[in-house]
Amino acid sequence: MRAGPGNVPPGAQLTSSGTVTDMTERRSPKGFSLISRRDLFGRLGGATAVTALAACQIQPAASGSADVDAKFSWGVASGDPTRSAVVIWTRAVPVGGVATVLDVGYEVSSDPEFRTLLTEGTIATSSDRDFTVKVDIGGLDPGTTYFYRFRAGAVVSPSGRMRTLPGDAATQMNLALVSCSNYPSGYFNVYRAITEIDDLDAIVHVGDYIYEHAAGAYDGETGARLGRVHRPAHEILTLADYRERLAQYRADPDLQAAHAHAPFISVWDDHETANNSWTDGASAHDPLTEGAWRERRDAALQAYFEWLPMRDPGPRGARERLNRVYDFGQIASLIVIETRLVGRDQQLSFNDMPVDADGAPDREGFERFLLADPSRSMLGPAQEAWLHEALAGSRQRGQVWQVLGNQTVMARMRTPDYVSVLPADIIEPALARGGYTADWLARSAFSLPVGLDAWEGYPAARVRLYDSVRATGANLIVLSGDSHMFWANDLHHPTDEGWIGVELATGSVTSPGGYEYISTRTDYFDMVEAALVAHNRDVRHANVRDHGFIHLSLTRERGVARYISVDTIEQRAFESRCFLTVDLEPGEQLDLTQR
């Protein structure tokens, strides 16, 4: 391939502004209410086809002018689909920057030419929410594609395509899994490649949608060379900072194309707030110089909900609680968990490793008394109980597959002894350079977890999750991101090595994998990948070098995961290819075909 330049799911609450009823007699050919500007603010309550989200919380007296032109430079988006509703999004900034409140019209059609309007209306937005607009379009048919666009004055936005979740008669589910898009690291060709798949039900983004770093701090040399330098130039801390960074990302034409192509189901990882975040802080946040963690966290989440096409929390809903369930007919439930801000304990560090009487690192003590501490949590007790019920409920409803939308890699994964595995002409220069890379290579001899920020750093929490999978009889597929590498994993319970389910983990959109800091020789990558598979029972396939996404198709009988990479992220023109196909059957281990 070549490219160039239902029901509201549990945990997804509707807006506090209520529903909006049209009291006129205007009806579309499908019977949808066509909402007038007068009734948008004047009539609240009742069941209707449209819910105006937080943008319409502006008081009627502050409404804008319907004839003010606006810029739609950040595209359009849809997301958070149910069987009968989808949220549509845009940002409309008044031309000239004079107006502080703006009226934005929206239209939904059954055809891309908008010959037949199913619903239309007008909603107000303002600088209070960065001129973003969200509308929850309801009353739609299951498993159906619709088209939408926005208007402001004489200006019409680009159009987008959205799709509701399928009903019980559905025969197939199609998802794209994507993660980790650092703007300076390269062009978003992976997002563009996703648009080559025409039948997607949704694009599942499992985090690191933006990065918080200062310009030049993370892959800055690449960004300077490509003209992709982070704005603002400093590490982002405030609401204004997070808004500016999101605006920069959303101005990218390839990300806009992906958003216009299919609905997004999104959850954050750490970089939407700060690197290695946990419930009460982040490794990259210094409260002495950067202020209170929760102020920064709340600013980041406010901007996230403004800029992502998803339902806002309810009036008493905590922004940080983002666990939800999406049912795809009788095929599968996509169960999205939140592993950063609600229940995660602070990450351990290898610097926490105790030493024995001779001053040598006490690996056994580190593993037994620190790492394996049964109180350590990724989800927190409340979300663990919720997840158990979500798995059980999916099985009770008859869904064959239980698909877990999860941020970090879940498989047991230990480092091979790279000093022994890799040839001297690669190892010796890396050790001679010193620093973190040399320390990491030397530490690999201990066969410690590859990363303490992933589930390997929380083994007791992972056991509790696996116990829930067993108790509910779930057919588990875990979707993961974060590592910037592709993995195909069979998951095993550490107490008896029994098979639990499978994990499909995607490489990044652009973010570097890390192994290239040691060498970029092709044979080196081959050796690393072979060593990771040989050293780890869970790991069936590893790709530590490529950028891309995973296309997952499921029926009730079987599934196929296609691992797709792009050949470059440093040029606009690129080729994409499927380098691995994974066949899935309920209750069976992975069947891999490498291309």
Side-chain angles (χ1 to χ4, degrees):
M1 296 180 282
R2 174 168 291 277
N7 294 314
V8 177
Q13 300 182 30
L14 296 181
T15 175
S16 61
S17 57
T19 53
V20 183
T21 305
D22 178 22
M23 302 303 291
T24 70
E25 295 300 319
R26 300 174 63 217
R27 296 285 169 179
S28 74
K30 290 278 287 185
F32 288 74
S33 298
L34 299 181
I35 297 176
S36 68
R37 175 69 179 85
R38 177 196 68 206
D39 290 312
L40 187 64
F41 290 103
R43 310 278 187 172
L44 295 180
T48 67
V50 177
T51 299
L53 295 185
C56 77
Q57 293 175 0
I58 302 164
Q59 296 301 313
S63 62
S65 172
D67 58 1
V68 174
D69 290 348
K71 298 182 295 182
F72 294 99
S73 303
W74 304 268
V76 299
S78 69
D80 221 355
T82 72
R83 291 187 181 188
S84 61
V86 185
V87 174
I88 60 174
W89 177 99
T90 194
R91 189 191 194 211
V93 173
V95 172
V98 177
T100 59
V101 178
L102 180 71
D103 281 352
V104 180
Y106 57 87
E107 300 172 343
V108 177
S109 175
S110 58
D111 61 90
E113 291 80 24
F114 291 84
R115 292 187 297 264
T116 303
L117 290 186
L118 303 180
T119 189
E120 64 180 356
T122 305
I123 191 168
T125 187
S126 78
S127 55
D128 288 345
R129 60 173 296 113
D130 209 16
F131 288 104
T132 59
V133 174
K134 285 196 274 189
V135 188
D136 194 354
I137 305 296
L140 305 174
D141 294 330
T144 303
T145 297
Y146 299 91
F147 302 87
Y148 62 96
R149 65 187 179 189
F150 298 86
R151 295 178 179 271
V155 182
V156 180
S157 76
S159 61
R161 178 170 63 177
M162 65 181 185
R163 186 171 178 83
T164 51
L165 297 186
D168 289 343
T171 59
Q172 190 169 20
M173 178 194 83
N174 279 285
L175 301 177
L177 173 66
V178 67
S179 177
C180 301
S181 47
N182 186 44
Y183 186 85
S185 292
Y187 297 117
F188 288 166
N189 293 339
V190 171
Y191 284 131
R192 179 71 64 174
I194 290 173
T195 67
E196 297 174 355
I197 302 174
D198 288 331
D199 57 351
L200 287 177
D201 292 299
I203 298 169
V204 181
H205 201 298
V206 291
D208 294 344
Y209 183 89
I210 62 169
Y211 281 71
E212 83 285 8
H213 302 294
Y218 181 44
D219 219 4
E221 292 183 2
T222 303
R225 177 160 42 84
L226 298 179
R228 293 174 68 85
V229 179
H230 264 149
R231 298 194 313 266
H234 56 267
E235 181 180 344
I236 54 178
L237 293 170
T238 67
L239 176 59
D241 291 342
Y242 284 100
R243 284 172 167 174
E244 184 177 355
R245 187 63 57 85
L246 280 157
Q248 179 183 35
Y249 276 61
R250 290 296 288 274
D252 183 272
D254 300 315
L255 178 53
Q256 287 186 24
H259 270 297
H261 184 67
F264 268 53
I265 295 174
S266 306
V267 64
W268 53 70
D269 193 28
D270 55 340
H271 290 290
E272 288 87 350
T273 50
N275 186 42
N276 287 348
S277 55
W278 55 289
T279 302
D280 293 321
S283 67
H285 180 78
D286 183 355
L288 296 179
T289 60
E290 297 175 318
W293 164 248
R294 298 217 169 182
E295 291 181 7
R296 180 179 186 177
R297 181 202 71 180
D298 291 349
L301 297 189
Q302 178 176 336
Y304 185 88
F305 276 103
E306 288 172 348
W307 279 85
L308 271 290
M310 59 199 305
R311 292 174 182 84
D312 291 352
R316 290 177 296 277
R319 282 197 181 105
E320 64 271 20
R321 299 187 185 278
L322 200 58
N323 45 309
R324 295 153 291 161
V325 175
Y326 300 86
D327 284 338
F328 291 78
Q330 292 293 293
I331 299 169
S333 293
L334 172 63
I335 303 169
V336 179
I337 56 176
E338 196 286 322
T339 64
R340 282 289 170 190
L341 305 178
V342 172
R344 178 191 278 255
D345 290 318
Q346 186 172 9
Q347 299 88 342
L348 291 175
S349 166
F350 291 118
N351 294 328
D352 300 324
M353 188 176 297
V355 295
D356 61 21
D358 297 323
D362 181 5
R363 175 196 163 199
E364 182 178 354
F366 177 77
E367 297 248 20
R368 179 181 297 181
F369 300 111
L370 295 179
L371 196 62
D373 182 348
S375 69
R376 288 179 51 73
S377 172
M378 278 279 267
L379 302 177
Q383 192 175 188
E384 286 183 359
W386 174 89
L387 175 57
H388 184 91
E389 293 302 317
L391 293 168
S394 176
R395 296 298 292 163
Q396 291 165 5
R397 292 191 299 276
Q399 274 92 17
V400 173
W401 306 92
Q402 286 65 53
V403 183
L404 197 64
N406 157 72
Q407 289 73 66
T408 60
V409 173
M410 187 169 289
R412 287 185 292 165
M413 196 177 299
R414 301 297 176 112
T415 54
D417 182 358
Y418 288 119
V419 176
S420 300
V421 168
L422 298 175
D425 61 346
I426 290 177
I427 287 296
E428 290 176 0
L431 292 175
R433 289 194 296 269
Y436 175 82
T437 300
D439 291 343
W440 182 82
L441 284 170
R443 193 171 60 239
S444 71
F446 294 107
S447 190
L448 291 165
V450 169
L452 296 177
D453 186 55
W455 283 89
E456 268 287 72
Y458 302 80
R462 182 173 54 194
V463 165
R464 292 193 294 271
L465 189 153
Y466 286 178
D467 288 344
S468 282
V469 171
R470 279 185 166 175
T472 58
N475 284 312
L476 183 68
I477 301 175
V478 178
L479 304 182
S480 305
D482 180 68
S483 72
H484 311 169
M485 307 171 200
F486 286 99
W487 309 95
N489 301 322
D490 277 312
L491 305 175
H492 299 89
H493 200 294
T495 60
D496 58 13
E497 296 300 325
W499 182 80
I500 292 295
V502 303
E503 180 175 35
L504 313 174
T506 184
S508 68
V509 174
T510 56
S511 305
Y515 280 99
E516 62 267 35
Y517 296 135
I518 298 172
S519 175
T520 57
R521 280 171 33 182
T522 300
D523 63 336
Y524 154 76
F525 287 119
D526 293 337
M527 288 183 281
V528 165
E529 290 163 358
L532 284 163
V533 172
H535 192 67
N536 293 284
R537 186 183 184 208
D538 280 9
V539 180
R540 298 286 308 282
H541 181 89
N543 178 330
V544 303
R545 68 189 94 178
D546 289 326
H547 302 279
F549 68 99
I550 295 174
H551 175 206
L552 174 63
S553 296
L554 293 176
T555 68
R556 288 180 59 83
E557 294 77 26
R558 64 186 300 268
V560 177
R562 299 170 62 242
Y563 284 55
I564 297 173
S565 65
V566 298
D567 65 342
T568 181
I569 58 171
E570 294 199 6
Q571 299 177 27
R572 287 288 187 184
F574 68 92
E575 289 187 350
S576 58
R577 71 181 186 93
C578 176
F579 66 87
L580 177 72
T581 299
V582 177
D583 290 318
L584 306 164
E585 292 187 18
E588 298 292 335
Q589 297 190 20
L590 297 173
D591 183 4
L592 281 62
T593 303
Q594 190 167 351
R595 299 173 184 270

